[in-house]
Amino acid sequence: MTQQSQYRSSQDIVHRIRAILGDFPGYRALHADGRLYRGTFRGNEAARLYTRAQHLQGDAIPATVRFSKGGGDPHAPFGATVGMATRFYLPDGQFTNSVMLSQKLFFSNSIEQFVALLEALKPLPGQDGVNKTGLEAFLAANANVARSFKLRGETPAPVSFAHTEFNSVHAFLFRNAADRITAARVHWIPVEGIRGQPLDALSGQAGDVLFTELEARLQRGPVGFDMELELAGPDDPLDDATALWPPDRERVRIGRLLIERATTEVEIGDPVMNHDPTVLTDGIEATDDPILQIRRGVYEVSAAQRSGGWKRCPFSGAR
């Protein structure tokens, strides 16, 4: 991987996503509809065995969470996929992000395969919606992508954000104070337990149903998630976001997030809130997963398109 490889094809990918899912100015290309919440995270003693990251040393760390729908249409009903993007505000004044999905796998394991999938999905001239014939042909020729689609199709829809497990999809490298590195995938496990429902039961409800349910729940008290590491075995792939690891992999809970109330970009002081999953801190490192690497460029392109980028900055007219 070259230093700038995360930017390869980024603008083309965002363009292709909008061509398939719709172009909604001012919104993200994916996870267009979301709301922000504020809370506190605290790492536990086990965390320090695996990482020296600032937010995992046991202190109370301010955090924000953006829960979101999975698609590109902000006006659509909820689907089976929802997102949870967390930002930890570190003691040294910086921040780090953790971006997770209710699904366990991504759609492809290389940039080339993802671009080819988007090409297969592109609507036919004069038609709306995905090209189902193109998708079927692509899945027949790409077994790993077909497995990912099958798993997603079998995953129940959420009944509440507070009852949904979220998954990092990608592996990361955790480095402790002794420089020992542990490869792991990361999960948020809901303290109140995992529950789901049939997709038809969710998609027939109001488009804000999971947001209003969560906000009513927060009136009664905080909503908790435990951060859990899924430790890689010696032969588990670290660069393939379409590959499940065996179910017997050891899991270690390393901290708890308590979400307390709703918030906004204005209150946070960041009108863009770009949750780039490669914004990491010492003690957590990205792997060479090409899909993880390109997400920086894709997120930056999407953020610039919806916000006006640098041209909206106060100094943009300076000479």
Side-chain angles (χ1 to χ4, degrees):
M1 304 291 290
T2 64
Q3 186 177 7
Q4 298 301 320
S5 63
Q6 68 266 26
Y7 294 103
R8 182 164 48 122
S9 303
S10 296
Q11 190 150 345
D12 179 48
I13 286 173
V14 174
H15 174 77
R16 289 173 181 273
I17 289 172
R18 292 191 185 280
I20 296 166
L21 300 180
D23 189 358
F24 297 89
Y27 290 92
R28 290 164 169 80
L30 288 170
H31 295 270
D33 187 16
R35 295 187 188 179
L36 288 159
Y37 302 87
R38 183 178 291 275
T40 302
F41 177 80
R42 189 185 294 272
N44 61 27
E45 185 175 347
R48 294 192 293 273
L49 298 175
Y50 297 96
T51 180
R52 62 195 185 206
Q54 296 178 56
H55 60 301
L56 286 158
Q57 301 310 297
D59 296 328
I61 301 295
T64 54
V65 174
R66 184 179 188 268
F67 287 114
S68 60
K69 296 176 185 174
D73 182 351
H75 312 297
F78 274 97
T81 300
V82 290
M84 181 177 176
T86 307
R87 177 166 292 180
F88 304 93
Y89 297 85
L90 304 176
D92 67 359
Q94 300 184 69
F95 63 79
T96 185
N97 295 328
S98 177
V99 181
M100 303 198 200
L101 298 174
S102 57
Q103 304 290 347
K104 294 182 177 180
L105 299 176
F106 193 66
F107 292 114
S108 58
N109 61 9
S110 71
I111 298 167
E112 294 78 12
Q113 189 178 57
F114 187 40
V115 171
L117 172 61
L118 294 175
E119 178 65 21
L121 289 168
K122 184 172 66 177
L124 295 172
Q127 296 184 10
D128 294 325
V130 302
N131 180 352
K132 294 183 179 179
T133 301
L135 174 60
E136 290 172 359
F138 189 86
L139 296 182
N142 295 268
N144 64 320
V145 182
R147 287 193 297 270
S148 295
F149 270 82
K150 181 175 184 294
L151 180 63
R152 283 174 173 248
E154 295 169 348
T155 302
V159 68
S160 168
F161 290 118
H163 288 293
T164 302
E165 176 182 354
F166 292 89
N167 314 284
S168 67
V169 178
H170 308 289
F172 293 85
L173 304 178
F174 289 78
R175 184 186 297 269
N176 69 9
D179 272 334
R180 180 171 64 88
I181 294 176
T182 302
R185 282 174 167 162
V186 192
H187 308 270
W188 284 122
I189 307 299
V191 172
E192 297 182 43
I194 299 170
R195 290 173 49 200
Q197 63 179 326
L199 177 57
D200 290 347
L202 175 61
S203 59
Q205 298 184 55
D208 63 351
V209 59
L210 294 186
F211 299 127
T212 57
E213 191 279 338
L214 177 63
E215 287 155 20
R217 187 183 292 266
L218 288 172
Q219 294 296 316
R220 304 190 293 271
V223 169
F225 288 86
D226 287 325
M227 179 177 281
E228 188 171 87
L229 297 184
E230 178 186 7
L231 307 184
D235 298 321
D236 292 336
L238 304 182
D239 60 354
D240 187 347
T242 66
L244 280 178
W245 296 346
D248 61 352
R249 290 294 175 256
E250 181 182 358
R251 291 193 173 216
V252 181
R253 294 196 174 179
I254 61 170
R256 176 167 289 190
L257 171 69
L258 293 178
I259 301 170
E260 296 151 1
R261 63 177 178 87
T263 187
T264 65
E265 288 94 342
V266 172
E267 181 184 14
I268 295 167
D270 183 348
V272 179
M273 289 299 287
N274 181 16
H275 290 100
D276 174 358
T278 69
V279 175
L280 303 172
T281 188
D282 178 53
I284 305 175
E285 301 166 19
T287 61
D288 283 337
D289 180 341
I291 300 298
L292 174 60
Q293 292 292 333
I294 200 176
R295 287 178 74 172
R296 171 173 291 183
V298 168
Y299 278 54
E300 288 187 8
V301 169
S302 178
Q305 288 180 355
R306 63 184 165 86
S307 68
W310 68 268
K311 293 182 179 181
R312 293 290 299 275
C313 295
F315 60 80
S316 61
R319 291 291 186 269

